[in-house]
């Protein structure tokens, strides 16, 4: 614990004191070594439970990586990759993934029209598009959910609903409150099949 | 992950087995935070910045102050820094929300400062208060006490866990709403804090939520100081009258200009300030329940719609001109639930000798860019340092400004 505190303090002190823009090319190099095995060469995950990052807003990736690094967001497979990452690396990784064209995974399940419609019907009362915007492409700290992996969407919404995941603000926890597993499955199917 | 995807597959299979369920999920309840939200609104909280802002990007040069006042950067490189407390030896502690850290800012011999991390990985450790040499950190319902903290900043010992003794509602009980704390030490030696409402606006347990409460420092003897205060993230006791004062965040989704955020004066413990029936002195459009707003304590001042009036302190120093003595400085973090930005400044509430607010005026501005509807920073707390300077925490920039006065 103490070592982690010291390491964090040293990292904070080591950040260069100059203005810099995030560097997507540098982010691509970093990603090649530590990210693409699970998240996909093109940022579209083919691994169940692992989210696609292609076309995500850079702010969203940055903020989530900070939460993972700090141990605020618990994702056992991911926390070790985030641990100790300097802010600069995180911002460059975010710029890289944000620059990739989004799209569905190769193994996307066939569309079930009834389930799709059921999910779509929930988006009105839940005001999903208000934050995630009309095409569900996200903005700033709010993620792209269109064409995200269905299994990941289910997992994320259950986490928010059950209080095992927190965002940078609490809107998402309350946005999914009271949703049944069937509601979540329908919402995930709808979102996963948007292009 | 595998287990979750199997579960997901299970739900899908269940849906396939019960096609009626798949076609028409029962309507889910409208989440509490969205009550009253108009169709088509795209207002959403602003993105936080949780990475280090280099000092040359901290907008201290944009700050505007009354004549004679100057601002400088006191500390930087502390992402998400929020509520402050000062130790007996002058260390400034700063809590945070999303990034989960508590920082310490120490002054070097040459007047510069250095920062370090006291704690991390906590859930919204926003409530900080010093009791003697001990730093109390309140993170949602978790209460930690770091004894003799300033002597141990380079080797932080494990804190004393007081969570069970305080028994604050959990994040789950809050349903993810307004669970972060502000903490203050009363002149009676008790710790004062808030328990925000567990929704945007709703009927709720009014003995459990939307409260100001106080405790003995060991967590015993909980007392309700004020009821019907939606979400206070700032409070302080008047240095002369010893009355408790508090800021309050009004509800969302009731329009651009209603209700105002408010300043509250608590003359007697336990009085009712009206939420959810009334806000800012007038009836709630959905939750009034036929109650007359005159039956509740009226706000001491209106602080502007959606301004997010947060940390407040009485000015007890002597550096500033006499007119500021015992007046209330209030950090207004700035709006999100409003089409045009409001707040993003520090205001002063001026009181007369009877303790009535005579006017509220802007003190530190320049962070809100009205022409472009953007903001440069978000002031969240103020702290009167022992030398009389006013410290202002800017959460968005991860910095603390120091405001001084010279004739």
């Amino acid at each position: 614990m103490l070592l982690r505190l010291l390491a964090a303090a040293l990292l904070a002190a080591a950040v260069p004191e100059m203005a810099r823009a995030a560097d997507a090319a540098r982010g691509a190099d970093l990603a090649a070594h530590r990210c693409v095995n699970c998240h996909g060469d093109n940022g579209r995950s083919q691994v169940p439970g692992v989210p696609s990052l292609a076309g995500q807003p850079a702010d969203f990736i940055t903020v989530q990586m900070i939460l993972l690094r700090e141990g605020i967001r618990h994702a056992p497979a991911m926390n070790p990759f985030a641990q100790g990452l300097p802010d600069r690396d995180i911002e460059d990784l975010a710029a890289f993934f944000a620059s990739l064209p989004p799209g569905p995974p190769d193994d996307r399940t066939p569309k079930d029209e009834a389930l799709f419609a059921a999910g779509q019907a929930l988006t009105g009362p839940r005001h999903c598009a208000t934050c995630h915007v009309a095409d569900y492409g996200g903005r700033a700290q709010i993620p792209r959910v269109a064409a995200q992996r269905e299994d990941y969407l289910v997992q994320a919404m259950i986490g928010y609903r059950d209080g095992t995941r927190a965002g940078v603000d609490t809107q998402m926890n309350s946005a999914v409150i009271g949703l049944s597993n069937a509601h979540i499955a329908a919402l995930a199917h709808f979102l996963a099949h948007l292009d | 992950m595998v287990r979750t995807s199997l579960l997901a597959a299970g739900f899908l299979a269940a849906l396939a087995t019960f096609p009626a369920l798949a076609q028409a999920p029962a309507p889910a309840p409208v989440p509490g935070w969205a009550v009253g939200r108009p169709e088509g609104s795209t207002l959403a909280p602003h993105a936080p910045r949780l990475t280090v802002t280099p000092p040359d990007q901290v907008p201290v040069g944009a700050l505007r102050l009354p004549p004679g006042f100057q601002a400088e950067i006191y500390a930087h490189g502390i992402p998400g820094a929020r509520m402050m407390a000062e130790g007996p030896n002058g260390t400034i502690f700063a809590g945070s929300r999303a990034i989960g850290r508590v920082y310490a800012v120490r002054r070097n011999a040459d007047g510069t400062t250095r920062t370090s991390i006291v704690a991390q990985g906590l859930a919204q450790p926003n409530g900080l208060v010093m009791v003697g040499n001990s730093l109390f950190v309140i993170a949602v319902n978790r209460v930690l006490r770091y004894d003799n903290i300033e002597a141990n900043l380079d080797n932080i010992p494990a804190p004393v866990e007081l969570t069970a003794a305080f028994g604050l509602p959990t994040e789950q009980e809050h349903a993810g709403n307004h669970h972060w704390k502000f903490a203050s030490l009363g002149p009676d030696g008790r710790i004062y804090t808030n328990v925000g409402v567990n929704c945007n606006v709703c009927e709720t347990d009014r003995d459990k939520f939307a409260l100001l409460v106080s405790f003995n420092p060991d967590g015993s003897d909980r007392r309700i100081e004020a009821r019907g205060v939606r979400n206070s993230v700032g409070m302080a006791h008047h240095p002369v009258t010893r009355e408790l004062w508090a800021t309050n965040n009004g509800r969302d989704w009731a329009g651009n200009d209603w209700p105002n955020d408010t300043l509250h004066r608590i003359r007697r413990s336990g009085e009712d300030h009206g939420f959810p029936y009334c806000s800012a002195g007038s009836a709630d459009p959905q939750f009034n329940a036929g109650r007359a707003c005159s039956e509740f304590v009226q706000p001491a001042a209106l602080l502007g719609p959606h301004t997010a009036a947060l940390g407040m302190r009485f000015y007890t120093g002597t550096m500033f001109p006499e007119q500021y003595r015992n007046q209330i400085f209030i950090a207004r973090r700035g709006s999100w639930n409003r089409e045009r930005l409001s707040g993003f400044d520090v205001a002063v509430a001026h009181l007369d000798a009877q303790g009535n607010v005579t006017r509220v005026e802007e003190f530190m501005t320049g962070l809100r860019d009205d022409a472009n509807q953007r903001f440069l920073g978000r002031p969240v707390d103020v702290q009167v340092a022992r030398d009389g300077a006013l410290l202002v925490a800017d959460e968005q920039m991860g910095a603390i400004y120091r405001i001084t006065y010279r004739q």
Side-chain angles (χ1 to χ4, degrees):
Chain A
M1 180 68 177
L2 177 62
L3 280 175
R4 278 186 55 214
L5 291 177
L6 282 173
L10 287 171
L11 284 171
V15 171
E17 295 191 351
M18 50 183 287
R20 64 181 293 280
D23 183 343
R26 184 172 173 275
D29 286 344
L30 291 167
H33 293 109
R34 55 168 71 215
C35 308
V36 301
N37 272 356
C38 294
H39 290 283
D41 285 327
N42 58 0
R44 300 181 200 175
S45 165
Q46 314 301 330
V47 181
V50 174
S52 293
L53 301 179
Q56 289 290 355
D59 276 354
F60 167 72
I61 298 175
T62 299
V63 152
Q64 292 299 319
M65 285 295 290
I66 300 278
L67 296 184
L68 288 160
R69 182 187 72 189
E70 301 292 322
I72 305 287
R73 176 177 167 190
H74 305 286
M78 185 60 205
N79 292 109
F81 288 95
Q83 193 170 4
L85 265 193
D87 287 0
R88 180 187 177 193
D89 289 6
I90 287 173
E91 289 172 332
D92 291 349
L93 284 167
F96 165 63
F97 283 111
S99 74
L100 300 176
D106 296 343
D107 62 345
R108 180 161 69 174
T109 57
K111 182 176 172 183
D112 175 328
E113 291 295 347
L115 196 54
F116 182 91
Q120 187 168 26
L122 286 165
T123 59
R126 289 282 158 167
H127 302 279
C128 307
T130 301
C131 293
H132 291 279
V133 312
D135 68 358
Y136 293 94
R139 55 170 159 157
Q141 83 279 28
I142 299 157
R144 167 182 295 280
V145 286
Q148 181 56 275
R149 288 192 69 88
E150 190 168 341
D151 43 33
Y152 175 75
L153 290 168
V154 168
Q155 175 182 312
M157 283 188 275
I158 287 175
Y160 281 119
R161 182 194 64 188
D162 295 349
T164 56
R165 182 170 172 185
V168 288
D169 53 57
T170 55
Q171 299 280 26
M172 192 58 200
N173 292 91
S174 27
V176 293
I177 197 167
L179 286 179
S180 68
N181 290 338
H183 292 143
I184 286 176
L187 267 173
H189 190 78
F190 165 72
L191 296 168
H193 288 84
L194 295 174
D195 286 313
Chain B
M1 274 174 210
V2 171
R3 189 167 58 101
T4 309
S5 51
L6 285 176
L7 280 173
F11 301 145
L12 293 173
L15 286 166
T17 315
F18 301 103
L21 178 60
Q23 282 158 19
V30 173
W33 69 281
V35 169
R37 180 182 223 177
E39 281 302 323
S41 171
T42 56
L43 294 171
H46 305 295
R49 179 164 183 172
L50 300 182
T51 51
V52 167
T53 301
D56 64 358
Q57 291 178 22
V58 175
V60 66
L63 299 179
R64 297 290 172 263
L65 295 158
F69 289 93
Q70 305 84 34
E72 62 184 326
I73 298 175
Y74 185 72
H76 60 85
I78 44 176
R82 281 178 57 104
M83 301 313 168
M84 295 179 283
E86 184 176 24
N89 297 328
T91 305
I92 298 294
F93 297 96
S96 67
R97 283 189 48 197
I99 201 167
R101 290 177 178 175
V102 177
Y103 299 103
V105 180
R106 280 174 279 179
R107 201 150 200 186
N108 300 317
D110 65 357
T112 60
T113 56
R114 64 190 189 281
T115 62
S116 58
I117 295 172
V118 173
Q120 58 187 1
L122 297 173
Q124 313 223 11
N126 192 62
L128 299 193
V129 61
M130 290 297 305
V131 181
N133 293 320
S134 297
L135 172 68
F136 282 70
V137 175
I138 310 184
V140 187
N141 64 315
R142 196 161 176 212
V143 184
L144 303 173
R145 191 186 77 212
Y146 294 82
D147 290 330
N148 207 15
I149 180 70
E150 288 184 286
N152 292 307
L153 285 173
D154 296 316
N155 185 7
I156 308 282
V160 177
E161 180 89 44
L162 295 167
T163 304
F166 277 77
L168 292 161
T170 64
E171 189 167 335
Q172 284 69 36
E173 290 176 281
H174 275 275
N177 292 277
H178 308 122
H179 45 44
W180 50 97
K181 300 297 184 290
F182 187 94
S184 183
L185 182 66
D188 53 3
R190 292 169 67 86
I191 291 176
Y192 288 72
T193 189
N194 57 298
V195 182
V197 73
N198 55 326
C199 57
N200 168 32
V201 56
C202 56
E203 289 286 352
T204 189
D205 181 345
R206 300 182 83 243
D207 293 323
K208 185 170 182 179
F209 296 108
L211 301 172
L212 304 180
V213 291
S214 70
F215 297 86
N216 287 327
D218 64 2
S220 65
D221 192 29
R222 172 184 180 269
R223 187 168 76 204
I224 292 177
E225 300 294 342
R227 194 178 266 105
V229 178
R230 179 179 174 272
N231 185 34
S232 170
V233 194
M235 66 195 77
H237 285 80
H238 191 290
V240 178
T241 69
R242 296 162 62 101
E243 286 174 338
L244 177 65
W245 290 67
T247 55
N248 178 49
N249 289 262
R251 60 161 290 189
D252 297 324
W253 305 120
N256 287 322
D257 297 320
W258 192 88
N260 266 235
D261 284 0
T262 42
L263 181 65
H264 293 259
R265 175 183 182 180
I266 293 88
R267 289 179 173 82
R268 279 174 295 279
S269 289
E271 286 184 324
D272 195 333
H273 291 245
F275 183 83
Y277 312 116
C278 300
S279 286
S282 58
D284 190 277
Q286 288 108 17
F287 286 86
N288 177 248
R291 304 290 289 267
C293 294
S294 57
E295 70 181 277
F296 303 112
V297 178
Q298 300 302 302
L302 303 179
L303 298 174
H306 303 288
T307 52
L310 303 186
M312 57 164 277
R313 297 290 191 294
F314 288 86
Y315 185 76
T316 49
T318 55
M319 178 194 285
F320 287 10
E322 181 62 29
Q323 70 193 78
Y324 291 101
R325 192 75 51 84
N326 297 342
Q327 312 294 283
I328 308 174
F329 283 83
I330 302 166
R332 297 193 293 195
R333 183 176 184 244
S335 62
W336 68 267
N337 193 243
R338 190 172 196 271
E339 284 168 290
R340 290 188 65 79
L341 298 182
S342 62
F344 301 91
D345 59 13
V346 174
V348 182
H350 290 275
L351 312 181
D352 65 18
Q354 285 70 48
N356 297 311
V357 178
T358 54
R359 68 184 194 282
V360 177
E361 62 183 14
E362 294 175 337
F363 176 77
M364 187 192 90
T365 60
L367 295 175
R368 191 183 71 234
D369 176 354
D370 286 330
N372 298 301
Q373 286 298 298
R374 64 188 191 110
F375 58 88
L376 307 179
R378 306 195 81 176
V380 287
D381 195 20
V382 291
Q383 176 78 26
V384 182
R386 61 194 48 221
D387 64 357
L390 186 76
L391 303 178
V392 179
D394 183 336
E395 179 182 17
Q396 195 75 9
M397 291 291 109
I400 296 173
Y401 308 115
R402 178 172 181 264
I403 297 173
T404 54
Y405 180 78
R406 277 196 304 272
Q407 280 189 307

